[in-house]
Amino acid sequence: MCPYCGVGCRLKLEGVNLQGNGSVARIKGVETAPANFGKMCAKGAQLGPTINTPDRMTWPLIRNTLNEELKPVNWDAALAHAAARFSDIYYQHGPDSVAFYGSGQLDTESVYIATKLFKGTLGCNNTDSNSRLCMAAAVAGYKTSLGQDGPPTCYDDINHADVMLIIGSNMDEAHPVTFERVKAARKSRKAFVIVADPRRTSTAENSDLHLAVSPGGDIALLNAIARKIVDLGAVDTAFAENHTNGYREFREFLLAQDLAELCQVAGVPLAMVEDVARRIAGAKGFLSFYCMGLNQSTVGMWKNNAVINLHLLTGQIGRAGAGPFSLTGQPNAMGGREAGMLSNSLPGYRTVDNPDHRAEVESYWGRVPGTISPTPGLTAVELFRAMEKGSLKAIWIAATNPAVSLPDLHHIRRAFGRAELVIVSDAYHPTETTRFAHVVLPAAQWGEKDWTSTNSERMVSHSPKLWNAPGQSLPDWEIMCRFANRMRLPGFQFQTSAEVWNEFAGLTRGRPNDVSGATAERLREVTSMQWPIPTADHPGTPRLYTDLKFHTPDGRAKFLCRDHKEPREQPDHEFPFVLTTGRLYSHWHTLTRTGKVDKLMAREPSAYVEINPADAEKLDLTQGDMMQISSRRGTIQLPARIGNAVPPGTVFIPFHWGDIYNEGNAANYLTISAIGRVAKQPELKFCAVSLEKVLVPSARRPVVTLPLMEAPPIRGKSPAATKVV
Ligand SMILES: Nc1nc2c(c(=O)[nH]1)N[C@H]1C(S)=C(S)[C@@H](COP(=O)(O)OP(=O)(O)OC[C@H]3O[C@@H](n4cnc5c(=O)[nH]c(N)nc54)[C@H](O)[C@@H]3O)O[C@H]1N2
Ligand SMILES: Nc1nc2c(c(=O)[nH]1)N[C@H]1C(S)=C(S)[C@@H](COP(=O)(O)OP(=O)(O)OC[C@H]3O[C@@H](n4cnc5c(=O)[nH]c(N)nc54)[C@H](O)[C@@H]3O)O[C@H]1N2
Ligand code: SF4
Ligand SMILES: [Mo]
C-alpha cells in the first residue's frame, strides 16, 4: 500500500534491491486493486529513492538535555532511559503531565497499542494525532449530522454520480488517482463537475464550473444553494419528513436568509448559485467531495454540516452515486479514528465521556473500572499550549513532524523548549522535530512491517512486510509494547501485528465500524474489504445508510442550522492580505521523503508565495522578487510567484518546507493556532498577513546539518522480484 495519501493505491514493487543501494527498479499500480486499478501518481512511483537514505534511523538515540549530542544506544538502554524518565514524570505529576501525539500515518495496530497504553493503562486521554489538523472537523460533522463518523460513500460512486461538487479540495494534486476517475466520468458520461475553491487550482481547471468562493465563505455558499433548492421546490420532502429531524427549522432558517447577501458573503454570483442549485436539484446522483478547505477552519464542523444538509435536503445519500464524501488525507487517518486516536475517542467509535463505552473497553482490556478517564484529553494544539505553560511535561510523538506542521511555530518551539521529555519515533533523523527530542526511536516504515490501514472509502487493507527494516528499527506497535513491558504494564505481550489486529477487531464487534469479521488471517487472504464486516463470511459494505437508518437514537439524520461565521483573524490595515496554505502535487507534507527525490524536487524545488498579478502590480513586483511576509506571529521570506490562481487580496504558500530546508521560513511561522470549539481543528487556511518587497534579502541561513549516523548494512535477504504492497 502506498504510504502517502488516503486514496490508498496498492503498488507493485519490481526488482527491490535493498542489499545494495536500496533501489527499486520499478513501481507500478496493481491492476486489480479497487482504489487505483493499476494507476498511481508521481509520489508513489518515486518511493524507491526514499527507502534507504543516509538519514534513515537505524539505532535508538538518547540524551539528557537538548544541549547534548544524541548518542546511539541499543534498545535496552534506550527503553530503560525512556521508561525511567517517563515514570518519574508520570508518578510525580500524574497522568495529565504526559501525552501521546500520533498520526494518520501510523498503522491501525500501532494506534491501537498507543490507545491501550495511554488511555487504557496510564489513564491519560492526552492521546491525540495530526488528524486533529486534518479530519477532526469531518469526524465532528458526520457525528453531529449522521450520528456517527465514517464516510457513507465509496469510489465506485464516481461511476454513478451525474453531478459532483468538489469543495475545499484540490483533488488533482492531493488525491490525483481518485480525481482521474472524476475526470473520466466527466469525459465519458458527461458528469457535471463543480469546484468551489478560492484559488483556480488545476482541479478547478478540470471542472465544468469554478465557484471562486471567498476564503471562509463556504457556509454562505452552501446555504445559498440550499435556499435556492427550497425556492425551486426541489426538496425531497418524503426523505426529509421520514428520515431526518429538523427539516422545518432548517427550512425556516433558510427562508429567513437573504439570498443576495449570502451570495455576496460567499463571493459567488447569484446566477452561478442558481445554476448549481438547479443541477443538484435535477441530479440522479449528487456526490460531494471535500477536504482541508472545509476542515481547516474554526467553523470546520459547521462547514461539514452545511454540505451534509444539501444531501439531506435532496435525499442524495444512501444509494449509488450519492452522498457526502470527506477525502481522507493520510493513508490511515481513517484507521486512527476507528482505533481511538483522537483525544475524546476509544476504539470502535466509542467516546471517553460515555460510561458504557469506558466500561466495555476496560472490561475487554481487563482493567479496573475507572482506569479510563471520563474527560476528553488535550487536542493537538492544546497539547503544545500545555507544554509551553509547563503543565504537560512529557510527550511521545510518532509518525508526525509537528515542528513543521503545527500552526504558529514560534509557539511550538517555545513549547518544545520547556518540555522535560520528548520521545520521537520516526523513520528518519534529523527531522525538524527530532531536533527537540531526548529520545529518538527508529521506526520501521511501510515496506518493512506487516500493517493494516483504512483508506478514504472505508477499505481496510493488509500490507505485507517486504524486506527487513534497516538496523534496529521496529514497527511502532512493537516499540510501544517493549516500552510498556519495560514499565511492567500488563497486556502488551504481543508477538505479531496479526495478534494486535485480532484483539482490536474483537473490540469493534457490534460497533458501527465493526471489523470483527475481518480477522488478520482473512485479511491476509482477501487483502481488502470495506467495513462494516461483522461476520467471518460477510463480504464487506461498500455504502452506508442504504436502509436510510442513521446512527442516531431514532435512526434519523439531522438538519443543522449553521450560519456563516468570519474566520478568527480578519485582514486589516496592518495585515491586509489573507494567507491560505496547502499542498503541491509533487510533495508530501514536511518533505522527509519527497524532499529526497530528485525528480520530485526538480518539479517543485522550493517554497514560494503566490500573489495575484493585480496585487503584484500595486506592490511593484516582478517574478521571483524576495518577499517578506508577516503575520501577528512571525515573519518569513520567500520568493514571489505571480500567478492568476490566487484571487486579489489572497496569497498562497505551500507548507511543505520546514527549517531543515530554510531555517525560520516555514509557512506555519505565520499561521494562527485558533481552533474550533468542538472539533478543535486549527484554522490553517486563513490568517491575515502583510507583504513587503525585500530590497536587500537577508543572507539565507545554511541548511542545518546535524550529525548523521552511518547506515549499518541491511539485515535479511532481498525479497522476491515482484512484491505487492
Ligand atoms: N501531493 C500531496 N497530496 C496529499 C498530501 C500532500 O502533502 N501532498 N497530503 C494529504 C493530506 S494529509 C491531506 S489532509 C490532503 C489535503 O488535500 P486538500 O485539502 O485537497 O489540499 P490543500 O492544498 O490542503 O487544500 C485544498 C484547497 O482548499 C482551498 N481552500 C483554502 N481556503 C478555502 C476556503 O475557505 N474554502 C474552500 N472551499 N476552499 C479553500 C485551497 O485553495 C486548496 O486548493 O491531501 C493529501 N494528499
Ligand atoms: N499550514 C498548514 N499546515 C498544515 C496543513 C496545511 O494544509 N497547512 N495540513 C495539516 C495536515 S492535514 C496534516 S495531515 C499535517 C501533516 O503533517 P505531519 O504529520 O507533521 O507531516 P509528515 O511529513 O507526513 O510527517 C510524518 C513523519 O513521520 C515519519 N514517518 C513515516 N513513516 C513512519 C512510520 O511508519 N513510523 C514512524 N514512527 N514515523 C514515520 C516521517 O519521516 C515524518 O517525519 O500537516 C498539517 N499542517
Ligand atoms: S500518493 Fe496517493 S494517489 Fe499517489 S500513488 Fe500514493 S496513494 Fe496513490
Ligand atoms: Mo491531512
Side-chain angles (χ1 to χ4, degrees):
M1 187 66 63
C2 173
Y4 291 131
C5 85
V7 169
C9 296
R10 198 164 271 280
L11 306 176
K12 265 191 299 201
L13 270 56
E14 293 180 352
V16 192
N17 172 14
L18 285 158
Q19 299 293 350
N21 58 4
S23 66
V24 173
R26 227 173 137 179
I27 300 185
K28 290 196 210 149
V30 174
E31 291 80 3
T32 52
N36 55 317
F37 293 110
K39 298 229 162 52
M40 61 176 174
C41 76
K43 290 181 295 301
Q46 290 297 324
L47 273 164
T50 70
I51 295 169
N52 196 15
T53 58
D55 63 346
R56 268 310 297 273
M57 281 285 293
T58 48
W59 290 84
L61 307 173
I62 61 170
R63 63 181 158 194
N64 288 309
T65 68
L66 296 189
N67 298 329
E68 296 169 17
E69 297 273 313
L70 283 157
K71 283 194 315 263
V73 290
N74 64 23
W75 275 110
D76 262 357
L79 292 174
H81 176 86
R85 292 194 60 179
F86 187 90
S87 303
D88 278 353
I89 294 169
Y90 178 78
Y91 290 113
Q92 197 183 335
H93 301 282
D96 294 336
S97 65
V98 299
F100 182 85
Y101 182 53
S103 163
Q105 291 166 76
L106 286 172
D107 46 65
T108 305
E109 291 85 349
S110 301
V111 171
Y112 177 71
I113 293 297
T115 308
K116 187 175 182 185
L117 172 58
F118 279 78
K119 291 179 181 164
T121 310
L122 299 169
C124 164
N125 287 341
N126 294 338
T127 308
D128 210 52
S129 125
N130 66 0
S131 287
R132 188 65 67 179
L133 318 177
C134 183
M135 301 311 291
V139 173
Y142 282 133
K143 278 171 110 170
T144 44
S145 291
L146 304 178
Q148 196 48 268
D149 185 17
T153 37
C154 61
Y155 297 145
D156 178 56
D157 286 324
I158 298 169
N159 302 329
H160 303 279
D162 51 353
V163 176
M164 290 183 244
L165 171 66
I166 301 173
I167 179 162
S169 146
N170 184 5
M171 267 177 107
D172 187 42
E173 299 199 59
H175 295 91
V177 164
T178 307
F179 192 61
E180 284 290 313
R181 288 167 86 153
V182 172
K183 283 198 284 193
R186 199 175 153 233
K187 202 164 157 206
S188 64
R189 295 191 300 106
K190 303 278 170 276
F192 193 84
V193 177
I194 305 152
V195 172
D197 193 309
R199 297 192 299 139
R200 191 163 177 86
T201 56
S202 55
T203 311
E205 290 286 350
N206 282 290
S207 72
D208 298 287
L209 181 62
H210 175 210
L211 309 175
V213 60
S214 310
D218 303 278
I219 295 181
L221 172 66
L222 292 160
N223 285 346
I225 298 169
R227 164 64 193 269
K228 189 66 206 173
I229 288 171
V230 170
D231 289 352
L232 290 170
V235 176
D236 182 344
T237 41
F239 176 86
E241 298 287 352
N242 296 322
H243 303 290
T244 70
N245 285 319
Y247 168 57
R248 272 163 210 288
E249 292 86 330
F250 184 60
R251 191 184 149 88
E252 292 305 312
F253 163 78
L254 291 176
L255 291 174
Q257 314 244 351
D258 181 320
L259 193 50
E261 208 176 288
L262 287 176
C263 291
Q264 199 219 334
V265 174
V268 176
L270 176 63
M272 277 194 187
V273 167
E274 287 175 344
D275 182 22
V276 172
R278 273 200 195 89
R279 288 182 189 276
I280 294 175
K284 287 196 208 67
F286 166 51
L287 188 61
S288 55
F289 291 104
Y290 44 100
C291 206
M292 292 309 115
L294 293 199
N295 293 352
Q296 287 172 342
S297 153
T298 44
V299 289
M301 179 183 91
W302 283 28
K303 289 191 184 189
N304 275 261
N305 296 141
V307 173
I308 299 174
N309 283 340
L310 276 188
H311 288 272
L312 300 181
L313 206 55
T314 49
Q316 291 278 7
I317 188 165
R319 58 186 162 76
F325 199 157
S326 59
L327 290 161
T328 316
Q330 300 169 88
N332 195 35
M334 287 283 291
R337 282 142 76 172
E338 293 151 18
M341 185 90 289
L342 294 174
S343 66
N344 50 339
S345 64
L346 289 170
Y349 280 172
R350 294 177 176 91
T351 53
V352 298
D353 55 7
N354 181 319
D356 297 336
H357 289 176
R358 288 199 305 278
E360 285 159 21
V361 177
E362 284 166 348
S363 130
Y364 190 82
W365 284 340
R367 300 297 190 241
V368 269
T371 303
I372 300 174
S373 161
T375 316
L378 300 175
T379 62
V381 166
E382 293 169 321
L383 286 175
F384 284 80
R385 286 182 189 158
M387 219 154 98
E388 186 179 6
K389 206 174 84 189
S391 55
L392 180 70
K393 296 175 190 302
I395 190 164
W396 183 315
I397 296 169
T400 179
N401 191 3
V404 183
S405 55
L406 279 171
D408 191 1
L409 289 178
H410 287 294
H411 148 62
I412 300 304
R413 292 179 74 135
R414 289 194 301 273
F416 272 126
R418 289 216 60 189
E420 289 178 21
L421 175 63
V422 176
I423 303 173
V424 178
S425 111
D426 203 294
Y428 302 93
H429 168 73
T431 71
E432 287 81 354
T433 300
T434 64
R435 300 203 296 179
F436 296 105
H438 302 94
V439 179
V440 191
L441 303 173
Q445 53 169 332
W446 58 285
E448 299 155 356
K449 59 183 180 183
D450 254 313
W451 56 293
T452 313
S453 56
T454 309
N455 76 358
S456 273
E457 57 162 357
R458 287 173 290 102
M459 184 73 78
V460 181
S461 296
H462 169 253
S463 302
K465 177 174 171 177
L466 302 179
W467 60 83
N468 286 323
Q472 301 293 302
S473 358
L474 291 173
D476 292 279
W477 68 264
E478 198 175 336
I479 299 177
M480 286 182 275
C481 284
R482 287 188 182 200
F483 174 83
N485 291 333
R486 166 69 65 167
M487 299 260 296
R488 298 183 193 288
L489 302 170
F492 296 93
Q493 306 288 338
F494 298 96
Q495 298 302 313
T496 62
S497 68
E499 285 173 22
V500 181
W501 172 264
N502 283 340
E503 188 180 299
F504 161 66
L507 189 48
T508 64
R509 187 165 289 121
R511 299 293 307 156
N513 61 328
D514 194 335
V515 289
S516 60
T519 56
E521 299 69 32
R522 191 174 173 206
L523 271 180
R524 278 152 182 75
E525 249 169 61
V526 302
T527 310
S528 300
M529 269 184 290
Q530 281 164 292
W531 64 252
I533 314 153
T535 55
D537 56 357
H538 193 282
T541 313
R543 293 180 181 86
L544 301 183
Y545 312 128
T546 48
D547 56 358
L548 302 186
K549 287 204 169 54
F550 297 91
H551 281 300
T552 49
D554 61 3
R556 286 164 175 260
K558 247 186 250 165
F559 279 102
L560 294 165
C561 304
R562 302 307 197 198
D563 262 325
H564 166 76
K565 291 265 180 294
E566 293 292 335
R568 203 60 65 80
E569 183 178 67
Q570 289 300 306
D572 57 15
H573 68 284
E574 195 181 358
F575 299 101
F577 289 88
V578 171
L579 166 68
T580 194
T581 60
R583 297 162 165 76
L584 303 176
Y585 172 79
S586 324
H587 287 303
W588 179 257
H589 294 165
T590 71
L591 302 180
T592 57
R593 291 197 191 101
T594 54
K596 288 158 194 144
V597 182
D598 293 344
K599 282 193 178 148
L600 298 176
M601 282 304 267
R603 288 169 90 130
E604 289 291 357
S606 66
Y608 57 85
V609 52
E610 187 166 353
I611 304 171
N612 182 275
D615 292 327
E617 199 182 319
K618 279 190 219 146
L619 294 166
D620 189 25
L621 303 181
T622 48
Q623 204 65 266
D625 275 349
M626 188 54 82
M627 303 300 298
Q628 175 146 308
I629 311 111
S630 305
S631 76
R632 287 190 173 78
R633 293 149 296 278
T635 289
I636 67 174
Q637 292 192 356
L638 292 175
R641 186 180 284 189
I642 300 168
N644 273 315
V646 282
T650 298
V651 297
F652 170 78
I653 302 178
F655 83 103
H656 301 294
W657 284 266
D659 285 340
I660 283 186
Y661 291 85
N662 192 352
E663 181 84 36
N665 285 298
N668 278 329
Y669 280 104
L670 303 175
T671 50
I672 185 168
S673 67
I675 56 178
R677 198 165 47 83
V678 179
K680 311 255 177 126
Q681 182 153 354
E683 194 141 68
L684 290 163
K685 289 283 182 270
F686 198 110
C687 72
V689 294
S690 65
L691 297 179
E692 225 181 306
K693 185 153 106 177
V694 179
L695 298 175
V696 186
S698 61
R700 188 177 144 166
R701 303 270 291 276
V703 167
V704 178
T705 42
L706 286 171
L708 285 186
M709 294 179 45
E710 282 287 307
I714 309 295
R715 287 186 275 117
K717 294 195 211 100
S718 278
T722 298
K723 287 282 187 177
V724 174
V725 282

PDB file of all heavy atoms in Angstrom, residues 269-283:
ATOM      1  N   PRO A 269     -21.418  34.836  -7.760  1.00  0.00           N
ATOM      2  CA  PRO A 269     -22.590  35.484  -8.343  1.00  0.00           C
ATOM      3  C   PRO A 269     -23.852  34.626  -8.189  1.00  0.00           C
ATOM      4  O   PRO A 269     -23.797  33.393  -8.267  1.00  0.00           O
ATOM      5  CB  PRO A 269     -22.235  35.619  -9.833  1.00  0.00           C
ATOM      6  CG  PRO A 269     -20.789  35.338  -9.940  1.00  0.00           C
ATOM      7  CD  PRO A 269     -20.360  34.575  -8.744  1.00  0.00           C
ATOM      8  N   LEU A 270     -24.980  35.320  -8.012  1.00  0.00           N
ATOM      9  CA  LEU A 270     -26.269  34.646  -7.828  1.00  0.00           C
ATOM     10  C   LEU A 270     -26.565  33.674  -8.981  1.00  0.00           C
ATOM     11  O   LEU A 270     -27.042  32.555  -8.753  1.00  0.00           O
ATOM     12  CB  LEU A 270     -27.375  35.704  -7.703  1.00  0.00           C
ATOM     13  CG  LEU A 270     -28.801  35.185  -7.594  1.00  0.00           C
ATOM     14  CD1 LEU A 270     -28.991  34.354  -6.330  1.00  0.00           C
ATOM     15  CD2 LEU A 270     -29.809  36.342  -7.593  1.00  0.00           C
ATOM     16  N   ALA A 271     -26.242  34.098 -10.201  1.00  0.00           N
ATOM     17  CA  ALA A 271     -26.553  33.245 -11.361  1.00  0.00           C
ATOM     18  C   ALA A 271     -25.853  31.897 -11.248  1.00  0.00           C
ATOM     19  O   ALA A 271     -26.412  30.854 -11.607  1.00  0.00           O
ATOM     20  CB  ALA A 271     -26.144  33.951 -12.647  1.00  0.00           C
ATOM     21  N   MET A 272     -24.638  31.913 -10.730  1.00  0.00           N
ATOM     22  CA  MET A 272     -23.889  30.640 -10.576  1.00  0.00           C
ATOM     23  C   MET A 272     -24.534  29.775  -9.500  1.00  0.00           C
ATOM     24  O   MET A 272     -24.648  28.559  -9.650  1.00  0.00           O
ATOM     25  CB  MET A 272     -22.442  30.927 -10.182  1.00  0.00           C
ATOM     26  CG  MET A 272     -21.556  31.252 -11.348  1.00  0.00           C
ATOM     27  SD  MET A 272     -19.838  31.154 -10.801  1.00  0.00           S
ATOM     28  CE  MET A 272     -19.020  31.778 -12.253  1.00  0.00           C
ATOM     29  N   VAL A 273     -24.926  30.424  -8.393  1.00  0.00           N
ATOM     30  CA  VAL A 273     -25.582  29.675  -7.307  1.00  0.00           C
ATOM     31  C   VAL A 273     -26.857  29.037  -7.847  1.00  0.00           C
ATOM     32  O   VAL A 273     -27.147  27.859  -7.581  1.00  0.00           O
ATOM     33  CB  VAL A 273     -25.870  30.614  -6.116  1.00  0.00           C
ATOM     34  CG1 VAL A 273     -26.825  29.962  -5.129  1.00  0.00           C
ATOM     35  CG2 VAL A 273     -24.573  31.010  -5.423  1.00  0.00           C
ATOM     36  N   GLU A 274     -27.613  29.796  -8.643  1.00  0.00           N
ATOM     37  CA  GLU A 274     -28.869  29.265  -9.202  1.00  0.00           C
ATOM     38  C   GLU A 274     -28.590  28.082 -10.115  1.00  0.00           C
ATOM     39  O   GLU A 274     -29.283  27.059 -10.066  1.00  0.00           O
ATOM     40  CB  GLU A 274     -29.609  30.369  -9.951  1.00  0.00           C
ATOM     41  CG  GLU A 274     -30.224  31.363  -8.977  1.00  0.00           C
ATOM     42  CD  GLU A 274     -30.888  32.563  -9.657  1.00  0.00           C
ATOM     43  OE1 GLU A 274     -30.622  32.807 -10.862  1.00  0.00           O
ATOM     44  OE2 GLU A 274     -31.655  33.251  -8.974  1.00  0.00           O
ATOM     45  N   ASP A 275     -27.557  28.225 -10.918  1.00  0.00           N
ATOM     46  CA  ASP A 275     -27.191  27.149 -11.838  1.00  0.00           C
ATOM     47  C   ASP A 275     -26.846  25.873 -11.045  1.00  0.00           C
ATOM     48  O   ASP A 275     -27.335  24.775 -11.347  1.00  0.00           O
ATOM     49  CB  ASP A 275     -25.989  27.620 -12.680  1.00  0.00           C
ATOM     50  CG  ASP A 275     -25.559  26.582 -13.701  1.00  0.00           C
ATOM     51  OD1 ASP A 275     -26.406  25.723 -14.048  1.00  0.00           O
ATOM     52  OD2 ASP A 275     -24.390  26.617 -14.151  1.00  0.00           O
ATOM     53  N   VAL A 276     -26.023  26.048 -10.003  1.00  0.00           N
ATOM     54  CA  VAL A 276     -25.602  24.892  -9.191  1.00  0.00           C
ATOM     55  C   VAL A 276     -26.829  24.252  -8.538  1.00  0.00           C
ATOM     56  O   VAL A 276     -27.004  23.021  -8.553  1.00  0.00           O
ATOM     57  CB  VAL A 276     -24.567  25.326  -8.124  1.00  0.00           C
ATOM     58  CG1 VAL A 276     -24.281  24.187  -7.149  1.00  0.00           C
ATOM     59  CG2 VAL A 276     -23.277  25.774  -8.791  1.00  0.00           C
ATOM     60  N   ALA A 277     -27.709  25.088  -7.970  1.00  0.00           N
ATOM     61  CA  ALA A 277     -28.891  24.556  -7.287  1.00  0.00           C
ATOM     62  C   ALA A 277     -29.752  23.758  -8.265  1.00  0.00           C
ATOM     63  O   ALA A 277     -30.227  22.668  -7.942  1.00  0.00           O
ATOM     64  CB  ALA A 277     -29.698  25.695  -6.667  1.00  0.00           C
ATOM     65  N   ARG A 278     -29.933  24.283  -9.473  1.00  0.00           N
ATOM     66  CA  ARG A 278     -30.744  23.577 -10.483  1.00  0.00           C
ATOM     67  C   ARG A 278     -30.125  22.243 -10.828  1.00  0.00           C
ATOM     68  O   ARG A 278     -30.808  21.239 -10.967  1.00  0.00           O
ATOM     69  CB  ARG A 278     -30.853  24.416 -11.758  1.00  0.00           C
ATOM     70  CG  ARG A 278     -31.981  25.364 -11.678  1.00  0.00           C
ATOM     71  CD  ARG A 278     -32.474  25.903 -13.008  1.00  0.00           C
ATOM     72  NE  ARG A 278     -33.294  27.045 -12.660  1.00  0.00           N
ATOM     73  CZ  ARG A 278     -32.829  28.279 -12.526  1.00  0.00           C
ATOM     74  NH1 ARG A 278     -31.566  28.550 -12.798  1.00  0.00           N
ATOM     75  NH2 ARG A 278     -33.619  29.260 -12.144  1.00  0.00           N
ATOM     76  N   ARG A 279     -28.809  22.245 -10.985  1.00  0.00           N
ATOM     77  CA  ARG A 279     -28.138  20.986 -11.364  1.00  0.00           C
ATOM     78  C   ARG A 279     -28.259  19.957 -10.252  1.00  0.00           C
ATOM     79  O   ARG A 279     -28.521  18.776 -10.491  1.00  0.00           O
ATOM     80  CB  ARG A 279     -26.665  21.242 -11.701  1.00  0.00           C
ATOM     81  CG  ARG A 279     -26.529  21.971 -13.010  1.00  0.00           C
ATOM     82  CD  ARG A 279     -25.092  22.189 -13.388  1.00  0.00           C
ATOM     83  NE  ARG A 279     -25.017  23.065 -14.539  1.00  0.00           N
ATOM     84  CZ  ARG A 279     -25.138  22.667 -15.800  1.00  0.00           C
ATOM     85  NH1 ARG A 279     -25.334  21.396 -16.078  1.00  0.00           N
ATOM     86  NH2 ARG A 279     -25.084  23.545 -16.785  1.00  0.00           N
ATOM     87  N   ILE A 280     -28.064  20.409  -9.004  1.00  0.00           N
ATOM     88  CA  ILE A 280     -28.182  19.452  -7.888  1.00  0.00           C
ATOM     89  C   ILE A 280     -29.632  18.963  -7.802  1.00  0.00           C
ATOM     90  O   ILE A 280     -29.894  17.767  -7.621  1.00  0.00           O
ATOM     91  CB  ILE A 280     -27.716  20.095  -6.559  1.00  0.00           C
ATOM     92  CG1 ILE A 280     -26.215  20.400  -6.630  1.00  0.00           C
ATOM     93  CG2 ILE A 280     -28.021  19.183  -5.372  1.00  0.00           C
ATOM     94  CD1 ILE A 280     -25.648  21.154  -5.431  1.00  0.00           C
ATOM     95  N   ALA A 281     -30.560  19.891  -7.976  1.00  0.00           N
ATOM     96  CA  ALA A 281     -31.984  19.520  -7.897  1.00  0.00           C
ATOM     97  C   ALA A 281     -32.333  18.470  -8.956  1.00  0.00           C
ATOM     98  O   ALA A 281     -33.118  17.557  -8.707  1.00  0.00           O
ATOM     99  CB  ALA A 281     -32.856  20.758  -8.077  1.00  0.00           C
ATOM    100  N   GLY A 282     -31.711  18.572 -10.112  1.00  0.00           N
ATOM    101  CA  GLY A 282     -32.055  17.654 -11.199  1.00  0.00           C
ATOM    102  C   GLY A 282     -31.165  16.419 -11.250  1.00  0.00           C
ATOM    103  O   GLY A 282     -31.310  15.577 -12.156  1.00  0.00           O
ATOM    104  N   ALA A 283     -30.235  16.308 -10.311  1.00  0.00           N
ATOM    105  CA  ALA A 283     -29.252  15.207 -10.410  1.00  0.00           C
ATOM    106  C   ALA A 283     -29.883  13.869 -10.037  1.00  0.00           C
ATOM    107  O   ALA A 283     -30.682  13.786  -9.108  1.00  0.00           O
ATOM    108  CB  ALA A 283     -28.077  15.486  -9.470  1.00  0.00           C
TER     109      ALA A 283
END
